[in-house]
Amino acid sequence: MCDFQSIPILVVDDSPTNLAVFSSTLRNAGFKVRVAVDGVSAIAKAEYDPPGLILLDVNMPTIDGFETCIKLKANPITSDIPIIFITGLSDREDKLKGFSLGAVDYITKPFQEEEVLARVRIHLKLRFLTQKVAEQAAELQKANQELLRLTIIDDLTQIANRRRFNEYLKQEWERSQREQEPISLILCDVDYFKHYNDTYGHLAGDICLHQIAQALSRVIKRPADLVARYGGEEFVIILSNTDSFDLVKIVRQIQTEIEQIKISHSMSKVSKHITLSIGAGCQTPNLEQSSESLFKLVDSALYTAKSQGRNRCSFYTDNLENE
């Protein structure tokens, strides 16, 4: 049996004779067949277990084939099932109406067995190939999304990587420049991390970095903000539309969160636990500035925090006091 022949067909006709003839013809050719004696039961069966193709008689009691087709096409579960109308040889208007309602083909009565099988094979094969193409497109999209994720996510910490940071900083800088909104930047460095690796091992160091990344992510919750691993033991945070006063609050929240996770660090010279040195700054961009200039100022502030004893934050902005 060909792959497409395993797709079930629903035959809908109020005539037991027609149902028997159609079913016999299709089953003898190797197709899977289901039957319904009216439009109401056809709709219920198609919705419960959607077939791959529907052969639908036009003239039926209660609701005719046209109304049945309309209801099937209006239902998201059954809307994409191809429908072949069964109609009289002289019913030209019925055929045109059927096509306008979404039918893909028609079979005329009295029907020829070879014609029925040919039309059914064509449309089942098209259905099968369409589904395959859709599945492959979905798989391709999923693969592309995963590839994109891998290019912007740091594998160790599962937050944004340096590439994503660089792209997003440029994007947010340009947006802030257009809208004349402040943008803030935070650069964090894990204090005495080399000593931590030497004491506890690189696996523990990896776990430590992951815990810090998650702690930062718990503080930075707005969708427009970004937490990224800049490299090694350095993390960077972009805060969109954040002024210097809100920046101070967020830095303090970060310091509190890092204190609360209490990662032991016996070789640190400033604490018994892991701490961060932080450089932070805020600017409202103008045409004479660039995102690189903001980063350099924040990097310089981080250097100041480290040179002043670590486990502290330094702000480059004039109206903020270093901590």
Side-chain angles (χ1 to χ4, degrees):
M1 180 183 294
C2 298
D3 288 339
F4 67 85
Q5 286 186 263
S6 63
I7 302 174
I9 302 168
L10 177 62
V11 181
V12 188
D13 199 313
D14 62 315
S15 167
T17 301
N18 287 343
L19 278 181
V21 173
F22 270 111
S23 298
S24 176
T25 298
L26 293 169
R27 287 192 176 110
N28 289 340
F31 292 104
K32 293 184 177 181
V33 181
R34 302 170 189 164
V35 298
V37 296
D38 56 42
V40 174
S41 61
I43 293 168
K45 289 183 178 183
E47 185 174 15
Y48 176 74
D49 188 10
L53 179 66
I54 297 175
L55 302 188
L56 181 59
D57 187 31
V58 170
N59 297 311
M60 294 187 298
T62 311
I63 61 171
D64 64 16
F66 296 136
E67 184 65 23
T68 302
C69 179
I70 291 171
K71 292 181 180 296
L72 288 168
K73 292 301 178 182
N75 188 333
I77 298 175
T78 57
S79 61
D80 65 341
I81 300 173
I83 295 173
I84 298 178
F85 272 119
I86 304 170
T87 185
L89 181 61
S90 61
D91 297 336
R92 181 175 179 275
E93 291 184 2
D94 284 352
K95 296 172 186 177
L96 294 176
K97 185 176 181 179
F99 284 130
S100 71
L101 294 177
V104 296
D105 206 346
Y106 62 88
I107 294 172
T108 57
K109 294 187 291 186
F111 68 87
Q112 299 294 318
E113 181 175 316
E114 294 79 6
E115 179 188 3
V116 170
L117 295 177
R119 293 183 185 277
V120 166
R121 286 192 180 99
I122 288 172
H123 290 292
L124 270 186
K125 189 172 184 178
L126 285 173
R127 171 73 166 170
F128 175 78
L129 293 175
T130 300
Q131 288 177 329
K132 283 295 180 184
V133 169
E135 290 170 4
Q136 290 171 355
E139 290 174 2
L140 180 60
Q141 182 180 19
K142 184 178 179 181
N144 285 335
Q145 289 174 341
E146 177 63 14
L147 182 60
L148 176 61
R149 190 191 72 83
L150 292 174
T151 63
I152 65 174
I153 297 297
D154 178 65
D155 185 56
L156 174 62
T157 60
Q158 293 301 296
I159 60 174
N161 60 16
R162 183 168 177 169
R163 173 181 176 176
R164 175 57 178 156
F165 162 74
N166 289 333
E167 292 174 347
Y168 196 66
L169 178 59
K170 184 176 183 296
Q171 172 187 320
E172 285 302 289
W173 180 270
E174 292 174 353
R175 186 193 61 78
S176 298
Q177 191 176 67
R178 289 193 305 271
E179 300 177 9
Q180 279 301 283
E181 293 178 348
I183 180 171
S184 292
L185 196 62
I186 300 172
L187 186 59
C188 311
D189 186 86
V190 183
D191 294 325
Y192 300 106
F193 188 69
K194 184 179 184 304
H195 295 342
Y196 186 92
N197 269 340
D198 291 343
T199 303
Y200 300 99
H202 288 281
L203 179 58
D206 289 347
I207 295 172
C208 173
L209 292 175
H210 185 270
Q211 289 178 302
I212 292 171
Q214 299 311 303
L216 295 175
S217 297
R218 286 193 294 272
V219 175
I220 311 303
K221 300 176 181 178
R222 297 187 309 175
D225 298 333
L226 181 76
V227 181
R229 184 184 180 195
Y230 189 72
E233 64 270 24
E234 287 187 324
F235 297 88
V236 66
I237 300 168
I238 300 172
L239 301 170
S240 300
N241 195 18
T242 301
D243 61 26
S244 57
F245 298 101
D246 286 335
L247 174 60
V248 172
K249 294 177 184 178
I250 293 170
V251 167
R252 288 174 177 165
Q253 290 173 7
I254 289 172
Q255 291 171 320
T256 299
E257 189 71 26
I258 296 300
E259 288 174 4
Q260 289 178 348
I261 60 177
K262 294 185 180 299
I263 303 174
S264 296
H265 190 353
S266 62
M267 298 305 292
S268 172
K269 298 179 181 180
V270 293
S271 174
K272 293 181 180 179
H273 299 96
I274 282 288
T275 58
L276 299 179
S277 293
I278 301 173
C282 172
Q283 281 185 342
T284 299
N286 58 52
L287 295 177
E288 297 177 356
Q289 298 169 320
S290 67
S291 59
E292 289 81 3
S293 65
L294 174 61
F295 183 84
K296 288 178 180 177
L297 289 167
V298 171
D299 189 40
S300 178
L302 174 61
Y303 179 82
T304 299
K306 293 170 71 173
S307 64
Q308 289 180 347
R310 308 193 190 210
N311 189 24
R312 66 187 63 220
C313 181
S314 175
F315 299 89
Y316 81 87
T317 315
D318 292 338
N319 63 336
L320 294 176
E321 296 181 0
N322 290 341
E323 297 184 346

